[in-house]
Amino acid sequence: MTLIFTIVITEVTSVLSMQLGEKVPLGDESNPCISKSNRLPRKRFYRARAHSNPLSDSHFPVPISPQHFEYSLHYPHFSPTPDSCSSTKKIEFADVGCGFGGLLISLATLFPDKLMIGMELRDKVTEYVKERILALRVSNPGQYQNVSVVRSNSMKYIPNYFEKSQLSKMFFLFPDPHFKEKNHRRRVISPFLLDEYAYVIKPGGIIYTITDVEELGEWMKSCLENHPMFEPLTEEELEADPVVKLLSCATEEGQKVTRNEGQTFKAVYRRIVLND
């Protein structure tokens, strides 16, 4: 019994130390990781490999269930008490493989009343996004309180974070193409993973994908096209959706493709509404 109690305490302590509520010395002029001009973290100190193996065993805290997610630590403005169950607001947007957080930062002010989270497997990149959000909260009082980030493996732990029909939007921007056929099982869009996404996206919710790799674009479109729980948006709906315009320009990868005058391939699908 003592051993179990010790393990639980250790796990809780680890979770708390990793959360967004952790203090960061933004005012420390001697900190080379912080820009003196805008007080934002310098990206060059948080560089990491472009991708991580999603099938490897990484060690980081994961909530036992969506009910155990610590809302008060990630969104203190919306959930001021430690009792996360008392908050009626839930996360609605999930950016899977959020990278350096460009899309999240853009969405935070476009949808200020929606809670959103980035999920990133690389530890240094996750730390950068966390510090970026904290710095933006300090320099823009009242803003960016609705956005947060966690280090996690979405291919394994989506059900640990989100309840059935909780999300209204999921984003998969410029994911790892995993070119070799033997590595296609590592792709974040697949028929099996779409079953999980269909579970956590509410009817009428939207899944957004984009890539600059044509073969991967066709793969993601084919997976969504052949899944019984998703249907494509019409051209008129795509034109009217302000989020679609951000897919190509909000992220570092998207900006790089634009600078190089490269092509992008989008697939935007809606979770179907079942008739009773």
Side-chain angles (χ1 to χ4, degrees):
M1 189 67 181
T2 303
L3 178 59
I4 295 174
F5 180 79
T6 303
I7 292 173
V8 171
I9 292 297
T10 302
E11 182 69 10
V12 170
T13 303
S14 179
V15 170
L16 294 176
S17 67
M18 291 288 291
Q19 302 304 326
L20 202 58
E22 199 173 52
K23 297 296 183 181
V24 177
L26 294 175
D28 185 0
E29 296 292 336
S30 63
N31 189 347
C33 299
I34 304 298
S35 170
K36 293 181 179 179
S37 59
N38 58 19
R39 311 308 305 152
L40 293 176
R42 291 175 172 174
K43 196 176 295 180
R44 69 185 186 198
F45 290 98
Y46 298 86
R47 290 291 179 183
R49 294 181 60 184
H51 302 284
S52 294
N53 180 5
L55 302 183
S56 65
D57 292 323
S58 301
H59 300 286
F60 40 75
V62 176
I64 300 172
S65 72
Q67 289 72 35
H68 291 84
F69 183 79
E70 297 283 353
Y71 274 83
S72 62
L73 294 176
H74 286 269
Y75 311 100
H77 181 78
F78 291 91
S79 182
T81 67
D83 181 10
S84 60
C85 296
S86 67
S87 175
T88 56
K89 264 193 176 301
K90 300 292 184 182
I91 295 168
E92 292 191 48
F93 296 179
D95 185 3
V96 177
C98 67
F100 290 97
L103 178 68
L104 288 170
I105 299 307
S106 298
L107 292 174
T109 52
L110 190 61
F111 298 93
D113 61 331
K114 304 291 186 183
L115 299 188
M116 55 193 74
I117 197 160
M119 308 181 79
E120 175 60 49
L121 185 54
R122 295 167 292 174
D123 55 350
K124 286 185 179 180
V125 178
T126 306
E127 186 67 18
Y128 170 85
V129 179
K130 183 177 72 171
E131 295 191 11
R132 182 181 185 184
I133 293 170
L134 287 172
L136 287 169
R137 287 179 178 180
V138 170
S139 59
N140 301 271
Q143 292 186 312
Y144 303 102
Q145 299 290 338
N146 59 327
V147 61
S148 188
V149 65
V150 291
R151 184 184 179 215
S152 191
N153 187 337
S154 62
M155 292 179 67
K156 294 182 178 181
Y157 300 119
I158 283 287
N160 294 70
Y161 288 92
F162 311 118
E163 301 170 354
K164 180 181 179 181
S165 302
Q166 178 176 330
L167 301 178
S168 59
K169 296 184 187 295
M170 287 189 81
F171 301 91
F172 301 85
L173 276 54
F174 301 98
D176 191 335
H178 293 296
F179 288 108
K180 295 181 180 179
E181 186 173 351
K182 68 177 183 179
N183 289 333
H184 284 182
R185 62 198 177 103
R186 299 181 181 180
R187 287 180 170 176
V188 73
I189 296 290
S190 71
F192 304 107
L193 288 172
L194 283 176
D195 290 343
E196 287 194 5
Y197 304 154
Y199 176 81
V200 298
I201 297 177
K202 69 181 182 182
I206 301 176
I207 187 169
Y208 299 82
T209 75
I210 187 173
T211 179
D212 59 331
V213 178
E214 184 173 8
E215 188 271 330
L216 178 61
E218 290 299 322
W219 165 280
M220 295 193 292
K221 182 178 179 180
S222 175
C223 289
L224 286 159
E225 189 74 35
N226 293 320
H227 197 283
M229 300 302 290
F230 292 98
E231 62 183 5
L233 268 66
T234 65
E235 287 299 324
E236 291 77 13
E237 289 171 327
L238 291 172
E239 282 292 324
D241 189 342
V243 175
V244 173
K245 300 176 178 62
L246 294 175
L247 302 183
S248 300
C249 63
T251 67
E252 183 184 64
E253 188 65 31
Q255 293 166 7
K256 187 189 303 180
V257 173
T258 300
R259 287 195 302 270
N260 296 333
E261 300 181 350
Q263 281 186 295
T264 57
F265 306 90
K266 301 183 186 75
V268 183
Y269 279 67
R270 179 190 296 108
R271 165 73 159 77
I272 67 168
V273 179
L274 297 173
N275 296 322
D276 295 331

